Amino acid sequence: MAAQFGRRLRKGAATTAVAAVAVAALSASQAPGVNDHGRQTAADATPSPEASASDGSATGNSPYYTDLPPLKSPNPSPSTGPAPGGTGTTESGIPATVLDAYKKAETTLREAKPGCNLPWQLLAAIGRVESGQARGGRVDADGTTLKPILGPQLDGNGFALIKDTDDGAYDGNSSYDQAVGPMQFIPSTWAWAGRDGNDDGKKDPNNIYDAALAAGHYLCRNDWDLSQQGDLDRAILSYNNSRDYLNLVMRWLEYYRKGTHEVPDGTGTLPDNRSDDGAGASPTPTIPGATNPAGSTPKPGPKPEKPETPQKPGGGGTTTPKPPTTPPGTPSTPPTTPPTPTDTVDHLEDAGTAKLTAMAGDAFGRRISTRAETEAGKAVAKVRVRFTIVGDTDTTFTGGEDVATVATNSSGVAVAPALQAGEKTGTVTVRATVVGRAVPGLDYKATVTERAADALARTGDAALTCAPGGTFANQVEVKATYKGAVADGVAATATLIKSADDPTVTDKGPYFKDADGKTVRTLTGLKTDAKGLLKLPKLYADDTTGTFLLRVTTAGGATLTVELTVAAAETSSPSPSASPSA
C-alpha cells in the first residue's frame, strides 16, 4: 500500500506538471488581446507578482480537477444537449440548479458588497475545478448534493496536515479534516465562512446555494475588487494556493464569460483528471458510496507489485529469507507524527491591545492583538487564530464579516482586522480561539458609544421674528460637527425654554405643531443628516410678545441657544392734518 501511495503522489506531481504545460499550450493557441467585453484575456493576464495567498486556504489546498476547457468557444444555444466526449457546447452547459446558485450568489453580493464586483462566472470556474459543478449537477431540488463530495483526508501524506476541527460533523472524520461539498470548503474555514444561501435556516457546505454564497463572501473579503487583476489573483490564490490552480481557474472564467447555457441537473459533463492522480483516473472514490456514472466503466486501479525474490550469490536459484532479528511477540513501535505548531499551543495571551472604543458608525482606531504561547510562555508562529464577534451586535470587522481567521507571525502574534462599529451601542465581545486546538478562548471587550457632536452652529443669520399669532418666516437650521468633522446621524433635542438660567419648557410664546396640529414645545428623536445638518419644523407664535429662547442639544454635549422675537408690527404715525385756511 505504501508503495502504491508513493506512486500515486509521483503521478499526481506529473499530472500537475502536464496540466501546467497544457495551460501554456492553450495560451499559445488562442489569439492574444482583449475579448469582446474589453477584458484582458487569461492568456495576457499575467498574475501580479505581489499576489499571494493568505494563510491557509478555503480548501486546505486540497486536490482539484485539472481538465482544461476546450479550445472551441462555447455555443450558448440552450437547445443543444450534453453529449459524450466533451465539446465546447457540452462543457459550457451548467446544471440548472448549480447555475441558479451561482447567479443568486452574485446578485446577493452585488447588494452586500458592491465594491467587490464578483462575477458569477468566477464561482462557476471554481465550482468546475473543485467538483465538476457538483458532479454534473447531482443535487436535489433544494440544491443539496445527493451524496457527500469529500476530498482526501488532510493527514500530511502528500497533502496539508490539518487535524480534525469539527469532530467529524461535516466530513465524518474525527482525526483529520477533509474538504467538503461542491465548493470544497474545509470545516475550519466553513465554521466562519459558511452562509445560508437558500434561506432554510441552515449553513450546509453540501448545499450548492450555501456553498456558492460562502465562496462569494470568501472571495470578496479583505475589500478585494475582483474587477482588478491583482485582487482577482489574490482571491483565487487564497482559495487554493497554487499558480497552476490560478491559471486553470482563469481559463474556465474566460471560457464561461464567452457563453454558457443551462442543462438539466445530473447531466453535466464529468471531469477526468485530478491534481493528485494520473491522467484518466476516476475521481469517484472522493464520493463515499457513490456508484459509477451511467454508461461509464470503472477503471482498474494499479496492480500490486510482486515482491522481488533475492538471488543466491552467482545467480543460481533463490535463497531462504533470513528470519527477523526482533524476537517474536515484541510489539512494533508505530511511527510518530511530529507535533504541529498548533499542537504546542497551551494558551492565548493579550499582546498589548489598548482600550477599544469607537463611536457608532466609525471604525475603531485600534486593533486586537493576541499571542499564542506554549506552556512555558514561548511564542508559537504559524498558528491560526479565529476572532469571532459574539452577542447581539451589528459591529463587524472591516468588510462586513463577524469572523476572521489570522495566522500568528514569527512573534506568535495574530492581529485581527479593524472593527467597524455598528449602530447598536454598548459592549461588544470579540473572542479569540485557536483553530484546531481546544484551549480556552480569550475575550476582548469593545465599547460602541452613541454618535456625538461637540459643536452646533446655525447655517444662516437671518433674524427669527414673528407677529403674534403668526408663523416664523425662516426655519431654524443647524450644523453639527465633532472635532471639526461632520457629525452625521447624531441624536438631537429642540426645546423652547423659559430663560438662559431656567432650561425648563416654557408654556407660552413660540411653539411647534405635531402631526395632529397640536402645540408642542419640545421635539425629541431628531437626527442630523449625512451632512450633519438638522432643519427644524416651522415655528408658530401665540399672542404673547417678547424675546424667547430655543435650545438645541445633541449627544456629546453640543448646545446652541437661538433667540426668537414675537412683536407686533410697527405702525407709522399719522401725518398732522393741514391747517384750515384763513
Side-chain angles (χ1 to χ4, degrees), residues 152-476:
Q153 70 175 14
L154 301 175
D155 56 6
N157 291 315
F159 312 112
L161 174 59
I162 303 179
K163 295 188 177 181
D164 175 63
T165 61
D166 66 331
D167 199 24
Y170 293 119
D171 53 17
N173 189 335
S174 59
S175 298
Y176 300 95
D177 271 353
Q178 294 175 246
V180 181
M183 302 304 278
Q184 290 289 279
F185 279 97
I186 54 174
S188 60
T189 302
W190 184 260
W192 63 266
R195 293 293 189 281
D196 178 12
N198 60 350
D199 300 320
D200 64 353
K202 298 183 294 183
K203 300 176 182 178
D204 182 4
N206 298 295
N207 182 278
I208 185 59
Y209 287 98
D210 294 358
L213 183 58
H217 275 280
Y218 185 91
L219 294 165
C220 286
R221 71 197 195 285
N222 298 330
D223 289 331
W224 282 328
D225 177 359
L226 303 186
S227 66
Q228 302 298 316
Q229 188 64 48
D231 282 356
L232 180 60
D233 292 348
R234 295 180 186 91
I236 297 173
L237 283 169
S238 78
Y239 211 90
N240 193 313
N241 189 14
S242 161
R243 285 284 168 170
D244 291 339
Y245 181 89
L246 168 63
N247 292 335
L248 186 59
V249 168
M250 284 298 301
R251 291 293 168 197
W252 281 106
L253 169 60
E254 292 301 326
Y255 183 76
Y256 286 132
R257 274 175 168 166
K258 294 174 182 176
T260 187
H261 64 278
E262 178 183 296
V263 298
D265 289 344
T267 65
T269 57
L270 298 177
D272 292 319
N273 307 300
R274 290 204 319 174
S275 59
D276 67 330
D277 216 337
S282 172
T284 303
T286 62
I287 309 177
T291 58
N292 290 300
S296 65
T297 303
K299 298 177 182 179
K303 295 181 180 180
E305 295 180 353
K306 294 182 179 180
E308 294 182 359
T309 304
Q311 300 290 323
K312 285 183 178 181
T318 61
T319 60
T320 302
K322 293 182 179 180
T325 57
T326 305
T330 302
S332 60
T333 302
T336 58
T337 302
T340 65
T342 301
D343 294 331
T344 66
V345 177
D346 176 75
H347 59 274
L348 294 174
E349 288 283 345
D350 176 44
T353 303
K355 185 177 180 180
L356 299 168
T357 303
M359 193 182 298
D362 289 349
F364 282 75
R366 298 182 181 276
R367 296 161 68 177
I368 295 172
S369 297
T370 300
R371 183 171 55 252
E373 296 183 353
T374 64
E375 185 176 6
K378 183 179 179 181
V380 184
K382 298 182 180 179
V383 172
R384 288 179 295 163
V385 176
R386 180 178 298 138
F387 297 95
T388 306
I389 300 172
V390 298
D392 182 18
T393 179
D394 55 356
T395 292
T396 64
F397 292 112
T398 302
E401 307 292 346
D402 57 10
V403 180
T405 302
V406 181
T408 56
N409 59 20
S410 59
S411 300
V413 175
V415 180
L419 286 166
Q420 177 68 40
E423 295 303 320
K424 292 183 179 179
T425 60
T427 301
V428 176
T429 300
V430 180
R431 181 165 299 150
T433 55
V434 179
V435 177
R437 180 75 169 162
V439 298
L442 187 61
D443 284 355
Y444 293 85
K445 302 296 181 182
T447 303
V448 179
T449 61
E450 63 180 333
R451 293 173 181 257
D454 57 13
L456 283 171
R458 280 189 65 193
T459 58
D461 56 3
L464 300 169
T465 60
C466 179
T471 303
F472 283 81
N474 298 309
Q475 289 177 246
V476 177

